[in-house]
Each structure stands twice: as structure tokens, then as C-alpha cells.
Amino acid sequence: MTHLSTDADQQVFQQHRNLLFSVAYRVLGSAADAEDAVQDAWIKWSAADRSQVTDPKAYLARIVSNLALERLRSTRHKRETYVGPWLPEPILTSGDATEAVTDAESVSMAMLVVLETLSPLERAVFVLREIFAFSHAEIAEAVERSEAAVRQAAHRAREHVRARRPRFTADRSRQREVTERFFAAATGGDINTLMELLSPDVTLWTDGGGKVRQALRPVVGAQPVAGWFAAIGTVTYQGIEPADMNAELVEINGGPGILFSAPDRVIATVTFDFDADGRITAIHNMANPDKLQAIADGTTHDVGTQ
């Protein structure tokens, strides 16, 4: 039987809404899809017999995980036919929420790119187990698999992520300092400083989604990447003159990033990945207007894991 939603039930849902978005976003790599999954979770929660629910937080997290996994499976083919590199959809995050380094790291562009290489099941299991510390039994219920299958998927996912994602990156103050220097050098056309900040084998990934002109393949090496950024202040970008372009430092996906905007729209975001010495090893440049909606909306997300 269906219970009409009461204010108390709505309050319970709102209390856990951030957590639900945090789970769904890490599983999906898309803010829009994560919001849809949270909305669908609300519909299921409203229709559920909530008198039978002993732990609302765990119950809601299970619902949203299952919905996100279904959605991930159905959107998978779109990503396989995408023009150029596919990058996750960036979001604005708040410094308070990412005080916990693990929370920040688990929502970084670099981590989301690695999660993209897992199967949908492995990704959902990894997110729930490694990031949100759910038990194998709870995850088995959420993804509708046996506990043994979940253990196996968790092990495979962990090994896969460990092989592709180094554990130790520079501390947050060093990351901020390097980003600030990069920002000043790029906007000032200072190619020498840019070269100093970049790892020799740095890779620049740009996602234009076929909507705007971008490099369809990664740009590799300090020289070409530094040249690309040193030109920012001198060339017209997406029809916007340098004088009309605004660049600012903001927090994106738990770390320092750069936001480029024109008077009427957000143009691009740039985020960085660092090695243990604080050199930039990868740059993710999002320019697909369809994937800049969450940034353009100006919503700051709390992506904590509690």
C-alpha cells in the first residue's frame, strides 16, 4: 500500500539528499544524471511503506545506487560513440565539504576518469565500498547481486583503480599554489613558467563533444601543452575575444580549477592532476556546453561521504 508523503518523510529525504547526490554523481560522472537519479529516488521513497524502513539513510542510499547503476548501463553506449575524449561533467564544490582529503580525491576529475574504465557493476561496487564504506551485504542488496559476486567485483575494481591511480598526490596547499602560478602564467602568456609547472609527459584532455572545436586527441608533452595555454590571452576562443573573456580560480571537483566565461555564458573549465612533487601530470579541459550546465547554474555541491 502507498503512504502519502508527510513533512517528516520529506525532511528525512532532504537530510540525506547531499549524500544521495554524492553517491549517484560518483557512479555516473554526470551531475544532470545524478540529479535525475535523486529525483527518481524521491519518487520511490514517497511510494514506499516507510513504516518498514528501520534505517532511512541506508535504504535511500541503496535505492539511489540501484537507480544510478541502471542509468549508467543505459547511457553507456552514448559514451562509446562520443566525438573525441569523453570527460565527466564538472561540478563546483565547497572547500568545507572537501576538508577530508579522501572525499576530495574520490570526486576529482582524475578519479572519475579512472572510474569510467570500470564496468558499471564494478564502478557502483567500488564507489559504495571504497568511498562510502558500505558492507558487502549492503552492496549486494543495492545492486541485486550475491555477496560473493560483490566481493569479486570489489576486488577487481580496487586492483584496476590502484594500477591507474597513484595513491600519493601533492598536498592541497601545494596544489593551490601550483594552480595559482599556472593561472598567472597562462593569463600572462608566460611559457617558461608554464613549462616549469608541467611534468615532461603531461597530458591535456579536451572534451568539446563535437559541439565546439577542440583537440580530438590528447595533447602530450610540456612544450605543446604550455604553448596551448600561453596562447589563451592572445587568441579568439569559441568566438570570444581575449578582452571579453573572464578567467577565475574556483573549486571544481574537490580541487583548485579555472573557470573561463564570456559575458553571457560559461565557456570552459580546467582542472589539474598532480604528482607527489606538485607537478601537473594531467589537465582536463571541459568545453562541451552540454556538460557545463551544472557549473553555469552556479550550484555548489557538498560531496562529503557522511
Side-chain angles (χ1 to χ4, degrees):
M1 114 182 209
T2 304
H3 290 236
L4 287 171
S5 180
T6 64
D7 285 352
D9 291 321
Q10 196 153 5
Q11 234 173 340
V12 168
F13 187 85
Q14 285 307 331
Q15 193 186 333
H16 299 303
R17 194 187 167 92
N18 271 345
L19 175 73
L20 301 186
F21 178 85
S22 294
V23 171
Y25 177 68
R26 286 172 174 91
V27 172
L28 288 159
S30 156
D33 286 347
E35 288 291 2
D36 287 347
V38 171
Q39 237 4 78
D40 292 348
W42 164 248
I43 292 164
K44 288 206 168 202
W45 170 247
S46 304
D49 179 356
R50 290 179 301 277
S51 62
Q52 302 300 307
V53 176
T54 50
D55 182 350
K57 180 179 169 182
Y59 179 83
L60 285 165
R62 280 202 303 272
I63 290 178
V64 88
S65 309
N66 190 285
L67 290 163
L69 180 55
E70 278 174 31
R71 194 171 274 272
L72 183 61
R73 287 192 176 119
S74 67
T75 56
R76 205 60 184 201
H77 68 279
K78 275 194 212 156
R79 299 183 187 184
E80 284 157 10
T81 56
Y82 197 76
V83 179
W86 188 98
L87 291 178
E89 193 180 332
I91 55 172
L92 297 168
T93 51
S94 59
D96 306 343
T98 52
E99 283 310 294
V101 173
T102 47
D103 288 359
E105 161 61 15
S106 69
V107 81
S108 68
M109 272 293 155
M111 176 59 104
L112 292 175
V113 166
V114 172
L115 293 183
E116 198 51 38
T117 61
L118 297 171
S119 75
L121 177 67
E122 286 168 353
R123 182 172 186 164
V125 170
F126 181 88
V127 166
L128 293 174
R129 179 79 192 139
E130 299 296 318
I131 301 170
F132 292 93
F134 276 64
S135 71
H136 290 112
E138 288 171 316
I139 299 169
E141 204 177 332
V143 300
E144 296 168 352
R145 286 288 201 289
S146 72
E147 218 175 305
V150 163
R151 279 179 191 279
Q152 209 176 1
H155 177 74
R156 277 198 312 269
R158 202 166 42 244
E159 293 297 300
H160 181 94
V161 172
R162 199 175 281 156
R164 285 165 177 74
R165 185 86 197 106
R167 279 287 304 280
F168 303 104
T169 55
D171 66 59
R172 293 179 65 73
S173 58
R174 176 89 177 112
Q175 292 182 19
R176 177 155 295 281
E177 180 210 332
V178 171
T179 304
E180 284 168 0
R181 287 185 63 203
F182 183 95
F183 179 74
T187 47
D190 178 355
I191 200 157
N192 292 335
T193 300
L194 289 171
M195 291 283 289
E196 267 171 50
L197 300 172
L198 299 170
S199 158
D201 55 358
V202 62
T203 306
L204 164 65
W205 303 86
T206 69
D207 180 338
K211 306 283 166 79
V212 296
R213 278 193 59 192
Q214 287 294 323
L216 292 182
R217 286 190 191 79
V219 179
V220 181
Q223 187 82 50
V225 171
W228 201 89
F229 279 99
I232 277 179
T234 60
V235 295
T236 301
Y237 184 72
Q238 291 185 35
I240 307 297
E241 293 293 330
D244 298 327
M245 179 85 77
N246 181 49
E248 57 183 313
L249 282 167
V250 292
E251 187 182 298
I252 300 172
N253 287 72
I258 304 174
L259 173 60
F260 293 95
S261 50
D264 61 339
R265 69 186 197 274
V266 169
I267 299 282
T269 59
V270 173
T271 50
F272 305 92
D273 196 22
F274 304 88
D275 65 16
D277 301 323
R279 284 193 305 184
I280 296 167
T281 54
I283 302 175
H284 299 104
N285 172 36
M286 174 56 72
N288 179 349
D290 296 349
K291 290 193 194 174
L292 288 167
Q293 208 42 58
I295 298 275
D297 289 348
T299 307
T300 300
H301 291 276
D302 171 351
V303 288
T305 53
Q306 294 309 305

